[in-house]
Amino acid sequence: MSALLLACVLLPLLGFLLIFFSPDNEHRIAAISLWMTRIKGVAVLGLLAAWAAHGFANFEYQWLVLYQHDDYQFPLLFFLDRVGAVYLFVVWAVFSAIVKYCRVYLHREAGYKRFFQAIFGFAFGLNLIVLSGSIDMLFAGWEIVGISSFLLIAFYRHRPQPVRNALRAYTIYRFCDVGLLVGTWMSHLLFHESQHFSQLLTMFDPNNIPPAGYASLSILSWLIILAASGKSAQFPFSFWLPRAMEGPTPSSAIFYGALSIHLGVFLLLRTMPIWSYHYLPRLIVLSIGVLTVFVATLAEKTQSNIKGQVAYASIAQVGIMFVELALGLEDLVLLHFTGNAFLRCYQLLVSPSIVAHLLRVEGNVDSDFYIKNNDQMTFLPTSIRDSLPDVLQNTLYVFALQEGLLELLVKKILWEPLKNVGRQLNGVSLWIKILAGLALLAIIAIAASGVSSVARIYLSMPISLAMAVVSLSAFSNKRSPFQVWHSVALSSILAGVAVWLMVPAAWYDVALFFSGIIPSWALGIVALSVLLRHYHFADEPFVFRAFAETQPGWSLMLFLSFLGLVGFPITPAFLGEDLLLSHASSQHPWFAAPITVSFVINGIAIARVYLRLCMGRPVELRGAV
């Protein structure tokens, strides 16, 4: 079983690598995609058959330990149970259908190879999530799925709206990653070496002593619910999903109709022993589901495009799944997920044909033709047809048309305060910034000179404050890519220095973190220097430069450095983030929050830089010298 399980996880990664290194030839890419899905199907069905032969018992397998130092280790741990089995089968079935569909649907599309790379990367991340044995592994897959979504929403990079929507969706992803990142840290803090999913059931057995207090479990539950709500587009984050439909129809089907939108449900299923232990988190999940169903059902009625209608219909169904989870109906949730995933995938794949057919029908009939036939309403009494007052009907219509004002609400509460603070910080004079930098260097020198441990802790506080200040400055800076890149790297370095001041023994892990951050920063600076050597970015900061087409090699270098700086699981910085949080929390748990928020803000800031430079239409460029 272990070999089959590894094959299920790694075959999509192998498909990604084969497509990446193959020439841009449709026939070869289509053949690789088809055969990889067939081989994956054999592995999935073989694994499920072997699992059934063993009596459907939970199966845990540790492949190897990726990193170990002192009492910390990061094992590549996999776990299969009935939840993972259902998700694994649905993932393979939907992914295989999408691959077969796309081989023809995207014929002669300029981004044919780029699309298949993205969906194979997505399949790898999704399988990593579904078969993860710990929350650390789940977070790695979570990040891979997030960056794949980011690339596919911006697939039509010649149009500005898909690019803006990609940043909007990525922003929500990064914000909700706070919940999962801090939740990962808290699982280490509370459960120590017992944060495996296979151990959660026994830890929360009614006959055992709870592994943590009510307050700690409540905070961890809220963080998990935040991450699940953002990933599944639940209240108040429902607005991003219809905008994500700007990508190709097949990617909309596999991501936002069938699979990606249900990852929040999967997270809640995996961590159900934690958040369902008390009634308050259950009530929060129930309330989120009910509010989502109400808003999504109304918003769906006023959508002017078929993909938006399907998106809100899927959001409403996931809201019902949240309600079912709050009521403890796990088996019903799995059945509901399976049916909804296949239905939404089918609806989105046939939606272009339906629209084309209805337009042809409309062109062949008189002007009184309506797609929706409401003749049956005439047989109902007037009191039933017009049961709501006109004022209330109009109010609900405007509310639905504006999608519950959720986007405005999130923007006003989350992003505008951060941007305003960042603008004020960027307006500070250069001399004050120089003096502040010299003061930080003096603090670091004093701390390194051998002062007491208590003094080092107090000296780390201004360093952590400077980390947050630098991150906010990068978040609000839209006119200098170099300043954003420097600020993001400096913020990460200050986070490592602050942890080192608090825990001097953590120097090795801090160095590991720097080994991912500093090369990524240097590579990004080189790529920016080459890409912008003929441009003065500040003259036209909001023009898309389209370097992904005019200079694809250096754009790829910029993208890789972007991934390294955000702690994507391709560099040691991914492990370093977890290590920094672990060391900081061992001394002062409060310090985990500013580090996490800074990492999230940094990711949004440099994602915006990447989009501005690499997306767009080359013929529309202006400002070249």
Side-chain angles (χ1 to χ4, degrees), residues 61-78:
Y61 171 63
Q62 180 174 312
W63 185 20
L64 53 88
V65 176
L66 186 63
Y67 177 78
Q68 184 172 4
H69 184 246
D70 294 334
D71 58 346
Y72 175 89
Q73 65 174 1
F74 189 100
L76 297 184
L77 185 72
F78 302 100

Side-chain angles (χ1 to χ4, degrees), residues 3-305:
L4 289 172
L5 190 149
L6 284 177
C8 291
V9 175
L10 298 178
L11 280 172
L13 178 60
L14 177 61
F16 170 83
L17 294 174
L18 290 175
I19 294 172
F20 181 82
F21 290 109
S22 68
D24 195 358
N25 180 283
E26 280 194 20
H27 294 291
R28 181 169 297 183
I29 294 171
I32 293 173
S33 304
L34 181 62
W35 280 104
M36 290 307 301
T37 53
R38 288 174 175 173
I39 297 172
K40 182 188 173 185
V42 172
V44 169
L45 296 178
L47 176 63
L48 296 180
W51 178 63
H54 284 78
F56 303 102
N58 294 348
F59 176 70
E60 186 178 58
Y61 171 63
Q62 180 174 312
W63 185 20
L64 53 88
V65 176
L66 186 63
Y67 177 78
Q68 184 172 4
H69 184 246
D70 294 334
D71 58 346
Y72 175 89
Q73 65 174 1
F74 189 100
L76 297 184
L77 185 72
F78 302 100
F79 179 61
L80 179 66
D81 63 348
R82 61 191 181 92
V83 175
V86 172
Y87 267 79
L88 183 65
F89 175 77
V90 174
V91 166
W92 165 70
V94 172
F95 180 71
S96 300
I98 295 297
V99 167
K100 187 172 182 62
Y101 182 88
C102 294
R103 292 170 67 245
V104 178
Y105 181 83
L106 292 173
H107 176 54
R108 294 187 177 179
E109 179 69 52
Y112 193 89
K113 179 178 178 179
R114 179 161 47 94
F115 177 85
F116 278 93
Q117 286 175 344
I119 63 169
F120 269 90
F122 164 74
F124 171 61
L126 198 57
N127 285 348
L128 203 58
I129 292 174
V130 170
L131 296 174
S132 60
S134 66
I135 197 168
D136 293 305
M137 290 284 292
L138 188 146
F139 184 69
W142 200 270
E143 291 289 275
I144 295 172
V145 168
I147 204 67
S148 301
S149 299
F150 172 73
L151 294 174
L152 279 171
I153 297 171
F155 179 81
Y156 295 117
R157 55 195 183 193
H158 291 166
R159 306 202 311 259
Q161 196 57 42
V163 177
R164 295 190 185 103
N165 288 338
L167 182 61
R168 182 182 283 111
Y170 186 72
T171 299
I172 297 300
Y173 277 173
R174 290 294 297 180
F175 173 74
C176 294
D177 282 350
V178 171
L180 199 54
L181 189 59
V182 179
T184 304
W185 152 69
M186 284 197 69
S187 71
H188 288 292
L189 184 66
L190 299 177
F191 309 144
H192 304 291
E193 298 302 319
S194 302
Q195 69 270 19
H196 298 176
F197 292 136
S198 62
Q199 299 169 340
L200 288 180
L201 290 175
T202 57
M203 291 174 58
F204 288 88
D205 189 277
N207 298 322
N208 295 335
I209 299 175
Y214 176 79
S216 299
L217 288 178
S218 296
I219 294 173
L220 179 57
S221 300
W222 298 339
L223 292 169
I224 291 171
I225 293 169
L226 172 65
S229 300
K231 200 69 165 184
S232 288
Q234 297 298 285
F235 183 90
F237 307 109
S238 306
F239 59 87
W240 70 262
L241 188 67
R243 289 155 182 79
M245 296 291 181
E246 290 280 357
T249 296
S251 68
S252 301
I254 192 173
F255 273 85
Y256 316 113
L259 300 179
S260 184
I261 191 175
H262 295 97
L263 287 182
V265 177
F266 178 82
L267 178 62
L268 292 179
L269 283 167
R270 267 285 176 262
T271 58
M272 198 164 185
I274 299 175
W275 63 265
S276 65
Y277 194 74
H278 296 292
Y279 287 107
L280 180 57
R282 283 180 177 267
L283 181 60
I284 293 174
V285 172
L286 179 68
S287 302
I288 290 174
V290 171
L291 288 171
T292 301
V293 171
F294 174 73
V295 174
T297 303
L298 287 177
E300 185 266 335
K301 304 298 183 185
T302 58
Q303 291 295 299
S304 59
N305 63 87

